[in-house]
């Protein structure tokens, strides 16, 4: 033992010595490092200070500004800077202009070249210092502005080259190393002296003291209320205290015997002792005791590994542990319910999540029955009865159960616990279903099958949300023989109470979603008009999270033209749908004025700003329209020109007849409501059969891809010009439409058509009143050629009035254009921007009835402004088309005078 103690003390002394050496070395290294860093810092600071002082002195020297104004500043300044540099002890002084071109430099070949460094701060009037690698090496330089009259006219830079750290380190390094060596020597001597002293003290230990030490050790070992075992590496039991013998029922001669020879030892305990592995608070059963075992390996006397084992009797903790485990499982169930129930805002899915989370950890089968109105988002009216309860979710450990299936409408009789729970709002426990006549009365044959199946216990808990009973949840037990108890009833009530909030939220969302969908459907176009100019296919899909504000429209315009509109309102819900309806109505109203796209968007932007401003004044800051985008395009089938403008909306795509798909380079305008920036329109020529594709960002944006990838997929899906728009629309949706879209998706594809020359007629009208009758004759002849003689009389009257007004009140040139489409359109254009107005003439007035006559004879009429003037147009239905009728002439019209 003494030799062992001596060896151990030597080891400790050696460790102390190593620690002392490490401390000395670290202190020495730290001193050297601090010295180097301080030397570098002092050198850098001194260089910067000297550079700034020299540069400022030279910058404020007399005659510098006069020298800068000389024809050759370098000739004057170069000698001065060199003399000053040598006197000031710096490596360079450079004078430069405000562009950084040097006037002076220690190396004359550098004069006239650009200065190496940052001059912007000095040009702003600041003194700037920096470290750069210049022509002389690594330099620390200061740049000082030279001002004249309050502005910077030149710059002066002075600096030093940093070749190495000052010699302070070289001078003090031997001192540091010498002190470190002295410290090591002292540590060695001290360690030797301490070792000798420890040896002397241990040699003085007598037999009595050693005996007393062992007696104390033995008394403590056997007095503790914890079993202690020590084994060697071969599995022999070296030591066992009294508590260990009692807990493990060890024989009196157990010490010294092999573990396998102890027949009374529990097999799992023997296996653990033989393994020698680390064990921490491992619980083992030994007979009727529950033991907590800790085991750590040891190496006594440097021999093979043994183990030191401690054992505690925790039998009294078994009941508490089981209760704690049950409480922990219940808390875990409630936590999982809080996380797993209500992941969606769907009533049925939330009910299914409630059933799934309780099986099999709490019940073997769970059924959720909800009131029928709840499934549609409505509140239950009055007290829920069994007559309107529908089974919504069923979950269990097996699928062949005899319980009612999902979707069945159940009429609970008053004697059942479900009916009582729906009426009282209180949960009920049925410990034995075989002895529950009230429950049997619901459906005796099925109840008998349920009992024979093995389901023996039931908890029914009503779902209550915001004062209403929404339904009832049934927990059934079959595998465990014990019935549900009061603790299970409390857990069921807590679980159902948490789920009821999620189901009620889903119900409220369902109601709001249904209202928003109804509102949006009433505001969206129910059927697009058939147009000769384009063949249209469209698609709209609301977001999974709720109805949004995307919309599209096809609006017929005068002259067989058509307007294509796509818009997007940021957000979802009722407000987004209502805002969409307001914007769509405004676009319809503005389009009736025949405005160009950029002007229409400008007026729409002003309208949104006025609405937002008025709502802000009323304190309603949550219902503004900010965040809306729009794309408006007008296509003319006669000229095949398409004019479009956008307000923050994604650009459209054009599919040419040859299959080329291009993104229209359309100027980007701000979203509606921002104001302050004009909108720009772009015009392009579309060949017949081209497809114009308008969409919202929900089509190309998705969390799994970026916008560029979405646009590329859209281009690929559209690269089939031979497909009709409806098939192209379907192909695009197959490629791009996500399974659960986060945003609304609107898509509008229009294939262009043309109005051929055989359906268009144009004439120039001489600017004189006598030309009216001649033009009437030409037009009548054209109508006869088109088999529209039935419209000749009314057309003569319309053209007579329009041409007369153009000649009397307008300006040259005057032109007539007839378009034979779904209607007959008569257009008279002139060079004036003055628009006529319809008025009702008195019986004594000689004039003022012309436009009234035009309005009576035409289906629609109006004015369209052009860059060259205006166009007044009137449409008449073709014979045989809906709305066509013979014109009725009033007695007070003098036709011959016309």
């Amino acid at each position: 033992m003494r030799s062992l103690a001596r060896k151990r003390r030597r080891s400790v002394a050696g460790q102390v010595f190593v620690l002392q050496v490490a401390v000395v070395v670290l202190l020495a290294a730290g001193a050297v490092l601090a010295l180097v860093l301080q030397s570098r810092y002092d050198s850098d600071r001194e260089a910067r200070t000297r550079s700034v002082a020299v540069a400022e002195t030279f910058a404020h020297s007399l005659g510098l500004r006069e020298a800068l104004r000389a024809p050759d500043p370098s000739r004057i300044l170069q000698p001065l800077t060199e003399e000053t540099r040598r006197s000031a002890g710096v490596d360079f002084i450079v004078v430069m202009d405000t562009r950084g071109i040097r006037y002076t430099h220690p190396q004359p070949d550098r004069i006239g070249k650009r200065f190496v460094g940052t001059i912007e701060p000095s040009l702003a009037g600041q003194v700037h210092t920096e470290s750069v690698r210049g022509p002389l090496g690594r330099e620390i330089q200061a740049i000082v502005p030279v001002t004249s009259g309050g502005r910077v006219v030149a710059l002066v830079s002075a600096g030093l080259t940093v070749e190495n750290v000052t010699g302070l380190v070289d001078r003090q390094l031997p001192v540091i190393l010498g002190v470190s060596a002295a410290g090591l020597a002292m540590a060695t001597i001290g360690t030797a002296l301490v070792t000798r002293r420890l040896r002397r003290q241990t040699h003085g230990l007598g037999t009595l003291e050693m005996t007393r030490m062992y007696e104390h050790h033995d008394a403590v070992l056997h007095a503790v209320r914890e079993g202690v075992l020590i084994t060697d590496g071969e599995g022999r039991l070296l030591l066992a205290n009294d508590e260990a013998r009692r807990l493990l029922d060890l024989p009196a001669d157990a010490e010294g015997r092999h573990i396998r020879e102890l027949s009374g030892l529990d097999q799992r305990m023997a296996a653990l002792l033989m393994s020698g592995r680390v064990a921490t608070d491992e619980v083992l059963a030994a007979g009727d005791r529950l033991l907590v075992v800790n085991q750590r390996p040891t190496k006594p006397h440097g021999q093979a590994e043994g183990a030191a084992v401690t054992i505690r009797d925790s039998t009294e903790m078994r009941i508490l542990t089981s209760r704690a485990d049950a409480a922990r499982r219940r808390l875990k169930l409630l936590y999982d319910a809080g996380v797993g129930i209500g992941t969606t805002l769907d009533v049925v899915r939330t009910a299914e999540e409630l059933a799934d989370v309780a099986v099999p950890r709490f019940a073997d089968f769970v059924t959720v029955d909800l009131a029928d109105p709840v499934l549609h988002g409505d509140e239950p009216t009055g007290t829920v009865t069994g007559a309107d309860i529908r089974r919504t979710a069923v979950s269990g450990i097996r699928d062949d159960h005899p319980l009612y299936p999902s979707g069945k409408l159940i009429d609970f009789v008053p004697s059942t616990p479900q009916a009582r729970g729906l009426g009282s709002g209180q949960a009920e426990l049925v410990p034995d279903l075989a002895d529950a006549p009230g429950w049997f009365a619901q459906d005796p044959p099925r109840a008998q099958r349920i009992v024979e199946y093995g389901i023996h216990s039931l908890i029914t808990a009503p779902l209550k949300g915001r004062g209403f009973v929404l339904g009832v949840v049934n927990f059934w037990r079959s595998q465990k023989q014990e019935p549900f108890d009061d603790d299970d009833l409390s857990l069921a009530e807590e679980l159902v109470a948490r789920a009821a909030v999620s189901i009620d939220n889903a119900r409220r969302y369902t109601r709001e979603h249904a209202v928003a969908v109804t509102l949006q459907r009433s505001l969206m176009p129910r059927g697009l008009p058939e147009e000769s100019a384009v063949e249209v296919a469209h698609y709209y899909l609301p977001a999974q999270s709720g109805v949004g504000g995307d919309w599209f429209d096809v609006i017929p315009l005068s002259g067989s033209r058509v307007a294509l509109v796509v818009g997007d309102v940021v957000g979802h819900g009722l407000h987004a749908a209502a805002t969409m309806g307001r914007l769509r109505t405004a676009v319809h109203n503005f389009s009736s004025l025949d405005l160009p796209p950029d002007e229409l968007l400008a007026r729409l932007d002003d309208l949104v700003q006025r609405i937002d401003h008025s709502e802000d004044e009323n304190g309603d800051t949550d219902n503004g329209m900010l965040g809306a985008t729009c794309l408006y395009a007008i296509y003319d089938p006669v000229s095949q020109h398409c004019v479009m403008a956008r307000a923050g909306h994604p650009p459209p795509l054009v599919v040419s007849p040859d299959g080329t798909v291009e993104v229209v380079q359309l100027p980007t305008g701000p979203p509606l409501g921002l104001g302050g920036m004009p909108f720009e329109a772009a015009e392009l020529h579309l060949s017949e059969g081209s497809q114009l594709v308008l969409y919202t960002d929900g089509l190309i944006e998705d969390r799994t891809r970026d916008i560029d990838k979405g646009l590329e997929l859209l281009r690929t899906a559209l690269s089939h010009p031979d497909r009709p728009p409806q098939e192209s629309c379907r192909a695009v949706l197959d490629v791009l439409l996500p399974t659960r879209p986060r945003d609304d998706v609107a898509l509008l594809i229009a294939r262009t058509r043309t109005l051929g020359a055989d359906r268009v007629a144009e004439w120039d009208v001489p600017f004189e009143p006598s030309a009216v009758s001649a033009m009437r004759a030409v037009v009548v002849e054209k109508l006869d050629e088109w088999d529209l003689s039935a419209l000749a009389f009314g057309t003569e009257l319309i053209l007579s009035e329009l041409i007369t007004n153009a000649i009397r009140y307008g300006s040259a040139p005057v032109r007539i254009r007839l378009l034979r489409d779904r209607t007959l359109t008569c257009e008279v254009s002139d060079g004036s921007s003055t628009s006529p107005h319809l008025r009702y003439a008195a019986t004594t007035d000689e004039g003022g009835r012309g436009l009234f006559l035009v309005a009576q004879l035409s289906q629609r009429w109006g004015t369209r402004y052009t860059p060259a003037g205006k166009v007044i147009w009137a449409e008449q239905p073709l014979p045989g088309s809906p709305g066509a009728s013979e014109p009725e002439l009033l007695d007070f019209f003098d036709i011959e005078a016309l």
Side-chain angles (χ1 to χ4, degrees):
M1 175 178 287
R2 289 180 178 178
S3 63
L4 195 62
R6 187 182 305 116
K7 187 181 299 182
R8 186 163 55 250
R9 282 194 292 272
R10 282 202 300 268
S11 176
V12 172
Q15 292 176 5
V16 172
F17 176 72
V18 171
L19 178 61
Q20 291 175 339
V21 171
V23 170
V24 172
V25 171
L26 287 176
L27 289 176
V32 172
L33 179 61
L35 181 63
V36 171
L37 293 178
Q38 183 63 36
S39 176
R40 289 185 178 181
Y41 172 77
D42 292 342
S43 175
D44 186 76
R45 183 177 59 181
E46 180 182 358
R48 291 178 185 271
T49 302
R50 189 185 302 177
S51 299
V52 171
V54 173
E56 284 190 336
T57 301
F58 195 88
H60 294 86
S61 62
L62 299 176
L64 175 61
R65 292 161 183 77
E66 288 77 12
L68 290 171
R69 290 193 291 267
D72 188 4
S74 297
R75 183 178 59 81
I76 301 174
L77 296 175
Q78 178 68 9
L80 293 175
T81 56
E82 287 302 296
E83 181 179 357
T84 303
R85 177 182 65 81
R86 288 189 292 270
S87 301
V90 296
D91 292 322
F92 66 89
I93 298 178
V94 175
V95 182
M96 70 197 85
D97 60 11
T98 56
R99 296 173 301 165
I101 305 303
R102 300 187 184 97
Y103 291 138
T104 65
H105 196 273
Q107 298 177 358
D109 58 334
R110 299 285 179 173
I111 296 175
K113 296 183 179 180
R114 189 170 183 84
F115 176 71
V116 179
T118 304
I119 64 173
E120 284 78 11
S122 300
L123 292 176
Q126 302 176 7
V127 176
H128 178 66
T129 61
E130 60 182 354
S131 176
V132 298
R133 182 163 294 280
L136 302 178
R138 194 173 81 84
E139 305 166 350
I140 295 178
Q141 60 188 16
I143 306 170
V144 177
V146 179
T147 60
S148 177
R151 64 186 184 89
V152 178
V153 297
L155 303 174
V156 175
S157 175
L160 299 170
T161 59
V162 182
E163 298 178 356
N164 49 43
V165 183
T166 60
L168 183 62
V169 176
D170 296 336
R171 294 193 300 272
Q172 296 187 5
L173 185 59
V175 177
I176 295 174
L177 294 178
V179 172
S180 300
L184 290 176
M186 292 180 64
T188 303
I189 296 172
T191 301
L193 294 176
V194 170
T195 301
R196 290 184 61 187
R197 185 174 182 180
L198 289 175
R199 287 177 180 176
R200 288 196 301 269
Q201 290 177 348
T202 55
H203 286 314
L205 185 62
T207 305
L208 181 62
E209 287 79 7
M210 294 294 295
T211 303
R212 186 176 300 170
M213 180 184 68
Y214 280 113
E215 289 176 351
H216 291 169
H217 167 267
D218 190 67
V220 172
L221 179 65
H222 295 286
V224 296
R225 292 297 304 274
E226 189 172 273
V228 178
L229 299 175
I230 296 179
T231 62
D232 63 9
E234 298 178 356
R236 294 184 179 276
L237 182 60
L238 301 181
L239 181 145
N241 69 348
D242 295 343
E243 184 69 9
R245 294 174 186 273
R246 184 182 69 84
L247 294 176
L248 300 179
D249 294 330
L250 296 177
D253 59 347
E255 293 183 355
R257 297 173 61 183
H258 200 277
I259 298 297
R260 288 193 295 267
E261 299 175 1
L262 303 175
S263 58
L265 189 62
D266 183 81
Q267 295 299 320
R268 291 197 300 168
M269 178 64 72
L272 175 61
L273 297 177
M274 288 291 296
S275 67
R277 61 180 175 83
V278 175
T280 302
D281 291 339
E282 191 167 321
V283 180
L284 295 177
D288 58 348
R289 292 189 178 94
L290 195 66
L291 304 179
V292 179
V293 182
N294 287 275
Q295 179 171 267
R296 294 292 185 273
T298 61
K299 290 185 179 180
H301 308 289
Q303 299 174 1
E305 282 195 359
V309 183
T310 61
I311 305 171
R312 297 195 311 274
D313 186 2
S314 62
T315 305
E316 297 177 356
M317 299 294 295
R318 179 182 300 179
I319 299 177
L320 295 177
T321 302
S322 61
R323 291 181 179 178
D325 289 341
R328 184 168 54 252
R329 288 194 299 269
R330 293 182 178 185
L331 289 175
K332 183 64 168 57
L333 175 61
L334 292 176
Y335 172 78
D336 292 343
V339 175
I341 299 176
T343 59
T344 66
L345 290 173
D346 182 80
V347 175
V348 176
R349 180 56 191 153
T350 304
E352 292 173 349
E353 291 171 346
L354 168 59
D356 292 339
V357 78
V359 176
R361 291 187 291 177
F362 179 64
D364 299 317
F365 298 93
V366 176
T367 58
V368 182
D369 306 324
L370 298 178
D372 228 18
V374 174
L375 297 175
H376 304 289
D378 300 325
E379 293 180 351
T381 57
T383 302
V384 178
T385 62
D388 57 354
I389 294 295
R390 188 177 298 276
R391 179 139 295 176
T392 307
V394 178
S395 180
I397 57 177
R398 294 170 58 184
D399 296 332
D400 58 347
H401 56 79
L403 301 172
Y404 285 130
S406 296
K408 180 176 178 56
L409 194 63
I410 306 174
D411 184 7
F412 289 114
V413 299
S415 63
T416 59
Q418 290 88 348
R420 290 194 298 269
L422 291 172
S424 64
Q426 300 296 321
E428 286 197 21
L429 167 63
V430 182
D432 187 4
L433 290 176
D435 188 20
W439 173 75
F440 254 90
Q442 172 68 34
D443 188 349
R446 184 178 294 271
Q448 185 62 37
R449 293 200 304 270
I450 291 175
V451 173
E452 293 174 353
Y453 185 79
I455 299 176
H456 59 82
S457 186
L458 166 67
I459 291 178
T460 176
L463 282 160
K464 295 181 291 186
R466 294 181 176 89
F468 296 96
V469 176
L470 307 175
V472 64
V473 183
N474 305 295
F475 301 92
W476 313 82
R477 176 171 286 181
S478 63
Q479 283 194 334
K480 291 182 65 175
Q481 297 301 320
E482 301 83 1
F484 287 118
D485 54 20
D486 291 338
D487 291 339
D488 296 326
L489 181 63
S490 300
L491 177 59
E493 290 177 333
E494 178 68 20
L495 182 62
V496 171
R498 297 192 179 193
V501 176
S502 299
I503 291 179
D504 190 57
N505 289 337
R507 177 195 64 80
R508 291 161 62 89
Y509 171 78
T510 301
R511 181 184 61 188
E512 294 179 1
H513 182 74
V515 173
V517 169
T518 303
L519 174 63
Q520 187 184 48
R521 287 178 178 174
S522 66
L523 298 176
M524 289 287 286
R526 300 186 180 182
L528 298 181
E530 293 187 7
E531 295 291 330
S532 302
V534 290
E535 178 187 358
V536 177
H538 59 86
Y539 179 82
Y540 173 77
L541 177 67
Q544 186 70 26
S545 59
V547 174
D550 291 13
W551 92 93
F552 60 89
D553 222 330
V554 177
I555 306 173
L557 302 177
S558 63
S560 297
R561 298 171 306 138
V562 64
L564 305 174
V565 191
V566 169
D568 184 3
V569 176
V570 175
H572 300 90
L574 287 173
H575 174 57
T579 302
M580 177 272 293
R582 298 166 76 179
L583 291 179
R584 180 171 176 261
T585 302
V587 170
H588 266 273
N589 292 335
F590 289 143
S591 64
S592 65
L593 302 177
D594 266 329
L595 300 175
D598 53 344
E599 186 176 346
L600 183 141
L601 291 181
R603 295 199 180 189
L604 193 62
D605 181 65
D606 292 339
L607 174 65
V608 172
Q609 291 184 65
R610 288 197 301 272
I611 293 176
D612 286 334
H613 181 68
S614 63
E615 290 176 346
D616 290 342
E617 290 181 346
N618 295 332
D620 189 4
T621 58
D622 296 332
N623 294 328
M625 288 189 182
L626 287 179
T629 65
C630 184
L631 173 63
Y632 187 83
I634 297 177
Y635 173 68
D636 188 347
V638 178
S639 63
Q640 297 180 265
H641 285 178
C642 182
V643 183
M644 60 185 71
R646 60 172 173 153
H649 203 80
L653 277 71
V654 173
V655 184
S656 302
D658 60 359
T660 304
V661 182
E662 295 182 355
V663 179
V664 180
Q665 300 301 319
L666 192 61
T668 303
L672 298 174
L674 295 182
M677 294 182 63
F679 297 96
E680 299 182 38
E683 182 175 347
L684 62 153
H685 182 272
L686 298 179
S687 303
E688 184 176 7
S690 299
Q691 293 188 20
L692 185 62
V693 182
L694 286 70
Y695 56 92
T696 56
D697 55 4
L699 180 67
I700 59 175
E701 287 186 3
D702 188 63
R703 66 181 67 187
T704 60
R705 62 172 182 265
D706 55 19
I707 297 180
D708 294 337
K709 180 63 175 178
L711 272 177
E712 187 61 31
L713 292 174
L714 180 59
R715 291 166 62 103
T716 304
L718 291 171
S719 59
H720 298 278
D722 53 326
R723 292 185 306 209
Q726 193 64 39
E727 293 185 8
S728 296
C729 188
R730 191 177 302 110
V732 169
L733 298 176
D734 291 342
V735 173
L736 287 170
L737 193 63
T739 305
R740 298 174 63 88
R742 295 184 301 167
D743 196 4
D744 292 14
V745 175
L747 176 64
L748 182 66
I749 300 179
R751 173 179 284 176
T752 61
R753 298 168 177 163
T754 60
L755 208 61
D758 58 332
R759 302 167 67 183
V760 181
E762 295 184 87
W763 300 275
D764 291 325
V765 180
F767 199 72
E768 54 187 23
S770 60
V772 177
S773 59
M775 297 312 302
R776 284 204 308 246
V778 172
V779 169
V780 169
E781 182 180 353
K782 190 64 177 180
L783 293 179
D784 293 339
E785 179 184 338
W786 285 348
D787 294 330
L788 297 177
S789 300
L791 300 178
F793 186 72
T795 304
E796 284 187 87
L797 295 177
I798 293 173
L799 287 178
S800 295
E801 173 59 28
L802 297 183
I803 296 174
T804 301
N805 282 343
I807 295 176
R808 180 177 297 178
Y809 304 109
S811 60
V814 179
R815 290 181 59 82
I816 298 175
R817 186 171 75 164
L818 292 183
L819 302 176
R820 180 170 61 90
D821 194 7
R822 298 178 183 271
T823 61
L824 177 65
T825 303
C826 305
E827 297 182 349
V828 176
S829 62
D830 65 86
S832 172
S833 298
T834 303
S835 175
H837 299 281
L838 177 65
R839 68 185 181 90
Y840 295 92
T843 55
T844 57
D845 292 344
E846 295 183 0
R849 299 181 179 86
L851 287 180
F852 182 76
L853 178 62
V854 172
Q856 292 295 317
L857 295 175
S858 61
Q859 188 180 43
R860 293 194 310 158
W861 76 280
T863 303
R864 181 173 73 250
Y865 294 96
T866 65
K870 69 176 180 297
V871 176
I872 302 178
W873 54 271
E875 293 180 356
Q876 301 176 77
L878 299 181
S881 62
S885 62
E886 293 295 331
E888 298 181 1
L889 299 180
L890 302 179
D891 295 337
F892 53 82
F893 286 126
D894 187 356
I895 304 302
E896 295 298 331
L898 293 175

